[in-house]
Amino acid sequence: MLPRRQDYGNGLRSGPVTSFRSAGSPSSVRRSSSAVLPSVLTFLVVVASGGLLLMIEKGMLNSMETPSPRGNARRLELFRESRTHGSDDVDSEILQEIRNRTIRTMCSQKNMPHSIWSLSPLQRKTVLQHILVNEEYRFLYCYVPKVACSNWKRVLKVLSGALESVDVNIKMDHRSDLLFLSSLKPEEIRYRLKHYFKFMFVREPMERLLSAYRNKFGEIESYQKKYGMEIVKRYRKGLAKDASVKGDDVTFGEFVHYLLDEDVEHMNEHWMPVYNLCQPCAVSYNFIGSYEHLERDSEYVLQRIGAPPFVHFPERQTWYKPVTTETLHYYLCTLPQKLLRELLPKYILDFSLFAYPFPNTTTEHCRH
């Protein structure tokens, strides 16, 4: 049976900047979680205003040369040639700086974790099990499911010599030929966290959630049996004891109901918040890439770590089904707005730390 929890917080024992936990009834918790949204929106406005200052600063910063990172000179040359100084490039730089400043500001709060050793045992176990290590090129990569992690694992296997090419047509084994930080001794972990280049990739929270839902409950039988059957029995009237339930027709609304009853620290990794997977306050990442700029940000990481020129980031598989803006719009607008208001606080740190705006699901917007 799936655990059932009424928990609307982010799961941090050390406490977030804004806590959504409450000792009251579930209904009072849900009322308080929706009430906090205006203050969060205010925070995002403040964050966005920082972008205006950065745009002013860019007039001075554009004349400065970026220090040459460790790596192959030819790759670096190709990377620089591929970049344009158009609006997209400037916007990406501004977004990266906004994220850096936001993370520094929020993570500097006393009640936020400042190292992995200040995390609870469960939190530390989660993050260490999601950080992959490459010794030759001295980097750490925190993988996030549904944010191109399968392709990044291919890259790591090529760099370690376990795979000949990222384009080899084989089913990805997500455990073999990979070194996890959790397998190392504490002193080895400390050294690598201090001296290795550390990076991760993020994605718009609701888009990542929808991608996980469509993939796991629409295509993967093991997830339908492990989670789908219980979700249908729990949230669909009259089927609590129905033995014929297969779990292959879970609705998005039922999935959201399930998430609302889950403790984020015990969620499956495919829908656990990115914050809980990678702990960006406890681990000082050197670079946080975006799924929205996957190719460009991945190329930057490859040249930054000094990967050989023949190692490139894989192209998306032909069977890949992207979550378009229209698809996300459809699912969120057909979801009862009460459920959406209750769901957002679960992923509040993913929205705020990584500078993603809340989805627009007003009646006027959804009408279109």
Side-chain angles (χ1 to χ4, degrees):
M1 297 288 286
L2 296 171
R4 188 165 185 168
R5 291 286 303 274
Q6 288 290 344
D7 181 356
Y8 295 83
N10 62 27
L12 290 176
R13 295 186 183 182
S14 55
V17 174
T18 304
S19 176
F20 296 96
R21 290 189 183 275
S22 171
S25 65
S27 62
S28 67
V29 175
R30 296 184 178 185
R31 284 196 299 271
S32 64
S33 65
S34 60
V36 78
L37 292 182
S39 65
V40 176
L41 289 172
T42 302
F43 167 78
L44 291 177
V45 170
V46 173
V47 171
S49 66
L52 296 176
L53 296 176
L54 287 172
M55 292 176 73
I56 296 173
E57 291 177 4
K58 286 300 172 182
M60 295 177 289
L61 296 180
N62 281 340
S63 62
M64 298 176 62
E65 278 294 323
T66 303
S68 297
R70 168 185 178 269
N72 180 276
R74 179 54 182 161
R75 174 182 287 281
L76 180 56
E77 180 183 345
L78 291 172
F79 175 73
R80 285 174 172 168
E81 289 176 356
S82 68
R83 294 181 61 187
T84 64
H85 294 287
S87 60
D88 288 345
D89 200 44
V90 173
D91 290 346
S92 180
E93 292 176 6
I94 291 175
L95 176 60
Q96 189 68 218
E97 186 61 24
I98 289 176
R99 282 178 179 161
N100 291 340
R101 293 189 181 190
T102 304
I103 290 173
R104 284 197 300 268
T105 300
M106 293 188 67
C107 293
S108 66
Q109 304 298 314
K110 291 190 296 184
N111 58 348
M112 297 297 275
H114 297 115
S115 79
I116 62 168
W117 312 110
S118 62
L119 298 172
S120 71
L122 178 58
Q123 293 168 343
R124 184 164 56 250
K125 178 182 178 182
T126 298
V127 66
L128 291 180
Q129 288 181 340
H130 282 82
I131 294 181
L132 297 171
V133 184
N134 182 279
E135 299 289 16
E136 181 178 354
Y137 295 92
R138 295 170 65 86
F139 69 83
L140 304 178
Y141 161 57
C142 183
Y143 78 87
V144 178
K146 310 313 297 180
V147 191
C149 73
S150 294
N151 279 345
W152 267 113
K153 288 176 181 178
R154 281 178 174 267
V155 171
L156 265 72
K157 291 188 177 188
V158 171
L159 291 175
S160 68
L163 201 62
E164 182 180 352
S165 167
V166 295
D167 301 317
V168 174
N169 187 20
I170 60 170
K171 184 178 180 180
M172 173 55 60
D173 187 323
H174 291 271
R175 304 299 302 181
S176 68
D177 300 315
L178 294 169
L179 177 61
F180 293 82
L181 197 58
S182 58
S183 66
L184 304 182
K185 298 177 181 178
E187 60 271 21
E188 296 174 327
I189 293 174
R190 286 188 178 91
Y191 179 85
R192 283 155 183 77
L193 286 172
K194 182 178 181 180
H195 296 286
Y196 282 21
F197 178 76
K198 301 172 289 293
F199 72 95
M200 58 182 285
F201 275 74
V202 297
R203 185 178 186 178
E204 198 283 329
M206 293 298 100
E207 182 182 310
R208 174 176 172 253
L209 202 62
L210 179 57
S211 177
Y213 160 74
R214 296 207 308 172
N215 173 238
K216 300 307 174 185
F217 295 104
E219 303 172 4
I220 312 300
E221 186 177 356
S222 61
Y223 274 77
Q224 295 170 359
K225 290 182 177 180
K226 184 176 181 179
Y227 296 98
M229 291 175 61
E230 183 63 24
I231 290 174
V232 171
K233 289 181 178 180
R234 185 190 295 182
Y235 299 106
R236 200 174 299 176
K237 294 181 179 179
L239 297 181
K241 298 181 180 180
D242 192 333
S244 66
V245 171
K246 296 181 179 180
D248 59 352
D249 60 345
V250 176
T251 68
F252 189 60
E254 290 168 341
F255 177 54
V256 171
H257 270 293
Y258 162 71
L259 294 176
L260 293 178
D261 287 340
E262 285 293 284
D263 177 351
V264 293
E265 291 189 357
H266 294 88
M267 283 183 176
N268 178 279
E269 65 176 1
H270 290 85
W271 44 83
M272 180 181 285
V274 175
Y275 178 90
N276 296 81
L277 290 173
C278 293
Q279 294 289 347
C281 286
V283 178
S284 297
Y285 292 96
N286 302 100
F287 182 76
I288 298 178
S290 299
Y291 187 80
E292 296 78 16
H293 304 288
L294 182 60
E295 292 183 7
R296 179 175 58 196
D297 288 353
S298 296
E299 180 60 27
Y300 168 78
V301 171
L302 289 174
Q303 60 87 13
R304 175 61 180 80
I305 64 176
F310 68 85
V311 178
H312 64 274
F313 193 75
E315 296 182 0
R316 286 172 176 163
Q317 303 295 328
T318 55
W319 47 260
Y320 174 74
K321 298 177 182 178
V323 176
T324 64
T325 301
E326 293 75 16
T327 303
L328 181 62
H329 173 88
Y330 170 80
Y331 276 91
L332 294 183
C333 284
T334 55
L335 190 69
Q337 294 304 289
K338 180 175 179 290
L339 285 183
L340 183 61
R341 288 194 299 270
E342 294 170 357
L343 178 65
L344 292 180
K346 288 269 188 178
Y347 298 87
I348 192 65
L349 288 177
D350 285 2
F351 279 106
S352 56
L353 284 175
F354 307 127
Y356 285 110
F358 282 134
N360 184 357
T361 56
T362 60
T363 302
E364 181 179 356
H365 180 74
C366 286
R367 189 179 295 122
H368 295 288

